[in-house]
Amino acid sequence: MVKTVIAVLLPLLLILSLAFPVSAQPASSAWPMFRHDARHTGLSTFGGPNVPTLSWSYTTADSVWSSVAFGSGGEVYVGSMDNCFYAFTPAGALSWSYVTGGEIESSLAVGSDGTVYTGSGDHRFYAFKSDGMLSWSFLADDIIASSPVIGSDGTIYVGSKDNWLRAFTPAGERMWGRGKTHDLYSSPAIIPDGPICLGTDAGIITACDPADGLTSWSYATGSAVYSSPAIATNGRVYIGSENNCLYALRSTGKLTWSYRTEGAIWSSPAILSGAGCYFGSNDHRLYSLNPKGTLDWSYRTGAAIDISSPALGSGGRVYVGSQDNRLYAIKSNGKLAWSYETAGHVYASPSLGSDGRIYFGSNDNRVYCLGPTPTPTSTPTRTATPVPPEPTATPPIDLTADKTEYGTTGAISVTADVWPLTVPCYPFVRIVMADGSTLYYQSGVGFTASPVPYLGFEAGTILTAEPIRDYLALSASFSGIATGTYILEGGAVDMTQTTSASNLVYFGTVDREALKVR
């Protein structure tokens, strides 16, 4: 009888497994979502550079608060306050971008199937395929600044400023939505084999049943909670509050201890298993607490540690950004290892790659990738060797403006380095205006809204095997233009693939430089 039942069940189970494939899980990458994992530990299995060297950076049109996430193939994803979502190769070349209708504060989460999830200020939650095509989106009633988390079964959870916590399948079906006490900026984290936990603007730390979103327990701090929880393997919840306190709660919601600083805690904590937690405060300090809630050490930065949340490297170093424009690397004993200065506040939380590099954004509108300092090698005996040709750069058109800030009346001059174009191309220069319109520039003609005939430095196709240096690509006077951010773009249209003005296919990527008019 038993053999008969097994013989019947095995084919049935096989059919069911084919009909209902296993749900997508988080991407198998070095940092697939905000705070690294579903428990938001901020703990990486990889280390950062001992001495930072700039590997690459990319300029967007506004501040970068979003945290970088990686795809399974090393793809680099990040959002910007310029309303755009960006995808890069590990070498820093732009793969694609997508313009939403609002600022992107939300960090990203990447599924094992390559789908990328993020929220926007246009009230939408987006799911993109790995090639940049929109898979699906959901319209909420307010902005989505909370960062999504992906559960082990593939369910995606995200909060919104409309007070709702929602759960979606990877296909975009809304499983449930539950209104909470107030706006949800905090990103949900998942207690192992337990509820989803997050904070609210009303000062409530809440835990919800993953099956239906109903409240399992709640704890009141008395002040807004923008920090996201970090959850230990035993279910202990660490989270900060605007009342200057860091809380440690049991998996049942009971208080274990709290620690008071001299400033609001918007930073999300990072945790080591059985070894306490690390977090930043607006009192200009990075804190290390042991599991009993007492201070191990603190490190003072030059300004507040705002929403930047620490990342823990495998070597014990702690990385965090500050309003003093710096990213800090602090040793496990609380001593400074190094700091790296940008030209703006560092609100973004750093992410660690599998290649020993660290990635973060800044209010100077840039995404940074810092790598290890190259190991010096012995100097070989000099011999006469041919000079190799210069490699093709990406993008093929490298623009340099005479300055980055202008008045409402003046002149602009832009030079370009044109790298080898191995197919017939029309090089172009264009400016995305402050109002979102685009003007193309052609030498001797000026600006026009039409890309036909793919207006370039000169009308005509270029095919070159040698670099062209310092080409005067744009020289024009202007008067009375609007203040704001303008994006200078340069690139080349591949004429072997372009079929019409509405189907421009580019050779390589497009260089983008942000210009300010004040």
Side-chain angles (χ1 to χ4, degrees):
M1 179 65 180
V2 174
K3 290 183 179 179
T4 302
V5 172
I6 293 175
V8 172
L9 284 178
L10 283 178
L12 179 60
L13 290 173
L14 178 60
I15 292 170
L16 289 174
S17 67
L18 294 174
F20 301 98
V22 176
S23 299
Q25 296 181 353
S28 177
S29 73
W31 201 282
M33 68 183 82
F34 180 63
R35 311 305 296 131
H36 181 271
D37 49 62
R39 291 192 289 119
H40 285 358
T41 64
L43 174 62
S44 174
T45 56
F46 303 100
N50 289 326
V51 179
T53 299
L54 181 64
S55 295
W56 58 265
S57 69
Y58 184 89
T59 302
T60 70
D62 210 328
S63 301
V64 179
W65 293 10
S66 173
S67 177
V68 166
F70 304 114
S72 300
E75 304 88 353
V76 180
Y77 299 108
V78 72
S80 170
M81 301 294 279
D82 67 2
N83 302 4
C84 281
F85 171 80
Y86 295 91
F88 303 95
T89 68
L94 180 67
S95 298
W96 52 266
S97 63
Y98 188 98
V99 181
T100 72
E103 298 174 334
I104 299 177
E105 296 180 50
S106 173
S107 295
L108 317 159
V110 187
S112 59
D113 61 352
T115 304
V116 186
Y117 305 94
T118 189
S120 170
D122 64 4
H123 304 185
R124 284 194 176 274
F125 184 62
Y126 290 90
F128 298 99
K129 297 179 181 178
S130 58
D131 61 0
M133 297 296 292
L134 181 65
S135 181
W136 56 266
S137 69
F138 176 87
L139 182 63
D141 292 327
D142 211 326
I143 67 172
I144 301 176
S146 173
S147 301
V149 63
I150 303 176
S152 59
D153 63 351
T155 304
I156 304 106
Y157 305 92
V158 67
S160 173
K161 195 174 180 291
D162 62 8
N163 305 2
W164 282 75
L165 176 67
R166 297 179 175 90
F168 298 91
T169 68
E173 178 187 356
R174 194 181 76 151
M175 297 171 61
W176 52 259
R178 292 291 178 186
K180 299 302 172 183
T181 54
H182 217 271
D183 301 346
L184 304 178
Y185 287 98
S186 175
S187 174
I190 302 175
I191 297 175
D193 300 320
I196 295 96
C197 184
L198 76 166
T200 75
D201 197 28
I204 305 296
I205 302 167
T206 184
C208 315
D209 191 313
D212 53 21
L214 293 175
T215 300
S216 301
W217 55 258
S218 62
Y219 181 90
T221 70
S223 296
V225 178
Y226 300 119
S227 172
S228 296
I231 300 172
T233 53
N234 62 2
R236 180 179 289 185
V237 178
Y238 299 86
I239 192 168
S241 173
E242 202 172 39
N243 66 1
N244 304 2
C245 285
L246 191 285
Y247 292 89
L249 306 176
R250 296 175 187 171
S251 59
T252 58
K254 301 297 183 181
L255 179 67
T256 299
W257 51 257
S258 65
Y259 184 91
R260 178 173 293 276
T261 71
E262 297 300 320
I265 301 172
W266 298 335
S267 171
S268 301
I271 55 174
L272 285 170
S273 179
C277 66
Y278 304 83
F279 63 96
S281 170
N282 275 280
D283 66 5
H284 303 195
R285 287 191 175 275
L286 174 70
Y287 289 88
S288 171
L289 304 183
N290 63 39
K292 295 182 179 180
T294 56
L295 181 68
D296 280 337
W297 53 259
S298 69
Y299 182 88
R300 184 174 181 83
T301 64
I305 298 176
D306 200 286
I307 58 174
S308 182
S309 302
L312 303 179
S314 59
R317 284 189 179 170
V318 189
Y319 304 90
V320 72
S322 170
Q323 285 190 26
D324 63 7
N325 302 0
R326 289 183 176 273
L327 180 77
Y328 286 88
I330 309 299
K331 298 177 183 178
S332 58
N333 61 3
K335 304 297 182 183
L336 178 68
W338 53 261
S339 67
Y340 186 90
E341 186 172 13
T342 73
H345 299 338
V346 180
Y347 290 136
S349 304
S351 304
L352 290 163
S354 60
D355 50 7
R357 299 194 287 186
I358 190 165
Y359 300 74
F360 67 100
S362 169
N363 271 23
D364 64 7
N365 304 357
R366 284 188 174 270
V367 182
Y368 288 89
C369 171
L370 305 183
T373 302
T375 302
T377 58
S378 58
T379 304
T381 304
R382 285 185 170 272
T383 57
T385 56
V387 177
E390 295 188 65
T392 301
T394 303
I397 309 298
D398 183 15
L399 300 178
T400 303
D402 54 349
K403 52 188 176 181
T404 58
E405 293 193 1
Y406 299 84
T408 56
T409 299
I412 183 173
S413 176
V414 178
T415 58
D417 291 336
V418 184
W419 298 91
L421 304 174
T422 56
V423 298
C425 292
Y426 276 107
F428 65 84
V429 175
R430 64 190 177 203
I431 295 182
V432 181
M433 308 296 282
D435 63 2
S437 62
T438 300
L439 295 181
Y440 289 76
Y441 180 81
Q442 183 180 346
S443 179
V445 177
F447 290 99
T448 175
S450 172
V452 181
Y454 321 115
L455 294 176
F457 306 150
E458 299 176 4
T461 304
I462 290 180
L463 178 64
T464 176
E466 298 294 331
I468 301 172
R469 298 282 194 176
D470 299 323
Y471 186 96
L472 184 59
L474 191 161
S475 180
S477 299
F478 53 86
S479 178
I481 68 171
T483 59
T485 300
Y486 293 69
I487 305 300
L488 174 69
E489 296 185 329
V493 176
D494 184 343
M495 295 312 299
T496 65
Q497 300 186 61
T498 295
T499 58
S500 69
S502 61
N503 179 36
L504 301 182
V505 178
Y506 302 116
F507 178 81
T509 57
V510 176
D511 185 24
R512 303 175 79 247
E513 304 291 340
L515 308 177
K516 297 281 189 180
V517 175
R518 301 186 185 276

